[in-house]
Amino acid sequence: MEFNIALHTIFYITIFIIPGTLLRRFYFSGEFNKEFSQGNLMERFMWTIFSSILVLLISSLFFYFIRIIYNKELLSAISYDTIKEVFDLLTNNDLPTSTQFFAIYKDFLILLFGIYFASILIGWASKKIAISRFVSSYVPVFRYKNYWYYFVRGKVKSASKGKNKEYWYTETDILIQQDGSTKMYSGKISDYYIDPNNNQLESIFLEDTKRYKYKEDGQYELVSIPGDVFCIPYNRILNINLTYVNKEKVIRIRSKVFWYINEMFYAIASLILLSTLWVEDIPDFNFSSFRYKLFFTLNSWLILGMIRNIFRKYIFPEVYKKETVRPLFLSIVFSIIQYIWIFDFYGFWLTFLISILIFIFLANIFIQTKKAIDNSK
């Protein structure tokens, strides 16, 4: 009886708990990670079940559209009858036979990978939508409980940007109680921490911190405080004043159009590329095993992402001026060479050695070129 309960538990956790947990984990990430464990156990459990069902529905639609696009039967070993048969075996405290196991395990693992990947993607995308300025300002029902994020990061309506302006950082003046007297500090907010139980501020960290030094005539001067980060605990804070600093937003209609085209192409190409994992036969591509198909997909996805960043650099050079194309170019060359062993032309280690030699050769050329340019100035 105990073994039967364990099998059912594993089955339910795999299908109805893990997808929802992954979705919630990526939705409550970054500055909202403490909200992942907030709320009573039953509430979190119900949200996890609901999230898992949502992921299963979206994954089913994804597999359905992939089947229509490629006009092929996906995961042929998985069907309603197969799942029912395995579930009946577990219900009767039996395990699938070796023949049944080896007939379905590969497709079942691919199916689980797709569901879990969809959970991560939906959670990440939902977070991006929830913290967008429009949703934060006009759809408060989707706002996180960590209200400090919206005030500290300039995500409130009162953070007026003006025409052709965009948010840069937040400055603050903080009045604190110290040694029976009050002092005021000013600086840029670099980070903050909140209490996981009630979302109240625990401490705030400032950069370029200065202290207000008042003179006898009522005037004051700002005295710089040495150090990189200045921490102020919330229990000493009497008042906080926030100032949102904006910067000029470089907008070119043509660049913006190319930006959206680049991002849309990357999103569509990524979905099509990742969908090949669930297609048994890809025309003109013969892989010796699923492992090589997986490496092909991931390697191609990395190359696609690096090409996307190169286009970003040239579309908006002002925004990505700190990024250089040369490291991306070297990485693309390194990744392209990996197709030699992925398509089984040569072995992995020989290909890897060739990659390292070419990488060093190109890197040396770039270094010498940079030195020559610097010397000529």
Side-chain angles (χ1 to χ4, degrees):
M1 183 65 180
E2 294 178 358
F3 184 64
N4 185 29
I5 294 176
L7 287 178
H8 278 85
T9 302
I10 294 173
F11 179 82
Y12 289 133
I13 289 175
T14 303
I15 301 300
F16 295 107
I17 300 298
I18 294 180
T21 302
L22 287 173
L23 188 152
R24 294 184 69 250
R25 180 69 274 179
F26 278 81
Y27 182 73
F28 294 113
S29 59
E31 298 183 53
F32 313 102
N33 60 350
K34 294 182 180 180
E35 295 187 38
F36 177 77
S37 57
Q38 290 182 358
N40 60 65
L41 182 61
M42 179 57 67
E43 179 186 355
R44 298 201 305 269
F45 178 75
M46 294 303 297
W47 274 112
T48 301
I49 296 296
F50 172 78
S51 301
S52 296
I53 294 175
L54 177 65
V55 171
L56 291 174
L57 291 175
I58 294 177
S59 300
S60 300
L61 290 175
F62 175 77
F63 282 110
Y64 175 74
F65 283 118
I66 294 301
R67 177 180 294 185
I68 293 177
I69 292 173
Y70 289 98
N71 195 25
K72 290 181 178 293
E73 185 175 356
L74 305 179
L75 307 177
S76 56
I78 301 295
S79 64
Y80 173 80
D81 294 333
T82 305
I83 297 175
K84 184 177 183 303
E85 183 180 356
V86 173
F87 184 77
D88 290 340
L89 287 172
L90 298 179
T91 303
N92 297 323
N93 200 22
D94 292 328
L95 289 172
T97 63
S98 59
T99 303
Q100 291 174 317
F101 176 79
F102 287 107
I104 66 172
Y105 87 94
K106 184 184 295 186
D107 285 357
F108 185 74
L109 290 177
I110 295 174
L111 178 64
L112 281 183
F113 173 79
I115 293 174
Y116 293 163
F117 178 80
S119 303
I120 294 172
L121 186 62
I122 294 171
W124 174 82
S126 300
K127 176 190 173 183
K128 292 295 184 182
I129 295 173
I131 64 176
S132 65
R133 183 175 175 83
F134 177 81
V135 174
S136 301
S137 301
Y138 300 102
V139 194
V141 68
F142 292 112
R143 295 180 67 174
Y144 289 91
K145 294 179 181 178
N146 177 15
Y147 59 89
W148 282 103
Y149 166 82
Y150 299 99
F151 286 100
V152 171
R153 306 305 180 193
K155 298 285 187 177
V156 292
K157 291 182 181 179
S158 57
S160 178
K161 294 181 180 180
K163 189 175 182 180
N164 295 334
K165 298 281 188 178
E166 62 180 350
Y167 171 80
W168 193 6
Y169 61 87
T170 302
E171 286 185 345
T172 182
D173 295 313
I174 301 179
L175 182 66
I176 70 168
Q177 183 79 32
Q178 184 177 354
D179 300 330
S181 62
T182 58
K183 294 183 179 181
M184 190 156 68
Y185 295 92
S186 178
K188 293 193 298 185
I189 298 179
S190 63
D191 206 350
Y192 66 96
Y193 284 90
I194 61 172
D195 190 314
N197 298 317
N198 53 23
N199 297 300
Q200 292 297 321
L201 189 66
E202 285 187 341
S203 54
I204 190 167
F205 297 85
L206 306 182
E207 294 178 349
D208 301 329
T209 312
K210 297 178 177 61
R211 178 173 60 86
Y212 282 82
K213 182 180 179 181
Y214 289 92
K215 302 177 182 179
E216 294 181 356
D217 58 359
Q219 300 296 320
Y220 68 88
E221 64 176 337
L222 293 175
V223 180
S224 297
I225 297 177
D228 297 319
V229 180
F230 187 76
C231 176
I232 301 178
Y234 182 69
N235 56 9
R236 291 189 176 183
I237 296 177
L238 299 177
N239 199 299
I240 299 179
N241 180 51
L242 300 177
T243 303
Y244 302 115
V245 179
N246 301 319
K247 62 180 180 180
E248 292 291 336
K249 187 175 183 181
V250 180
I251 301 178
R252 298 189 301 272
I253 301 300
R254 184 178 179 182
S255 296
K256 200 168 184 179
V257 170
F258 281 120
W259 170 273
Y260 284 117
I261 292 175
N262 184 46
E263 296 300 302
M264 188 178 299
F265 173 79
Y266 173 76
I268 296 174
S270 296
L271 288 175
I272 294 175
L273 188 61
L274 292 174
S275 69
T276 59
L277 287 173
W278 292 273
V279 180
E280 295 182 357
D281 298 318
I282 304 177
D284 301 325
F285 290 92
N286 295 317
F287 300 100
S288 56
S289 67
F290 175 76
R291 181 183 61 180
Y292 286 89
K293 183 192 291 186
L294 176 62
F295 284 132
F296 166 78
T297 302
L298 295 179
N299 192 61
S300 302
W301 195 24
L302 287 174
I303 294 174
L304 187 64
M306 288 183 284
I307 294 175
R308 170 204 187 194
N309 289 335
I310 289 176
F311 277 104
R312 278 180 166 184
K313 165 70 177 177
Y314 286 106
I315 293 173
F316 284 114
E318 302 87 355
V319 179
Y320 298 93
K321 59 183 178 181
K322 293 183 178 180
E323 297 183 8
T324 57
V325 175
R326 291 175 181 176
L328 292 173
F329 176 76
L330 289 175
S331 300
I332 290 175
V333 172
F334 183 86
S335 299
I336 289 176
I337 296 174
Q338 305 312 307
Y339 288 124
I340 296 176
W341 69 265
I342 291 176
F343 291 112
D344 208 17
F345 293 117
Y346 290 101
F348 170 78
W349 291 111
L350 178 60
T351 305
F352 185 76
L353 178 61
I354 296 173
S355 305
I356 294 297
L357 293 175
I358 294 178
F359 186 88
I360 294 174
F361 174 74
L362 291 176
N364 184 62
I365 291 177
F366 285 144
I367 292 173
Q368 297 300 326
T369 304
K370 187 177 184 303
K371 286 182 177 180
I373 294 174
D374 294 338
N375 292 333
S376 64
K377 291 182 179 180

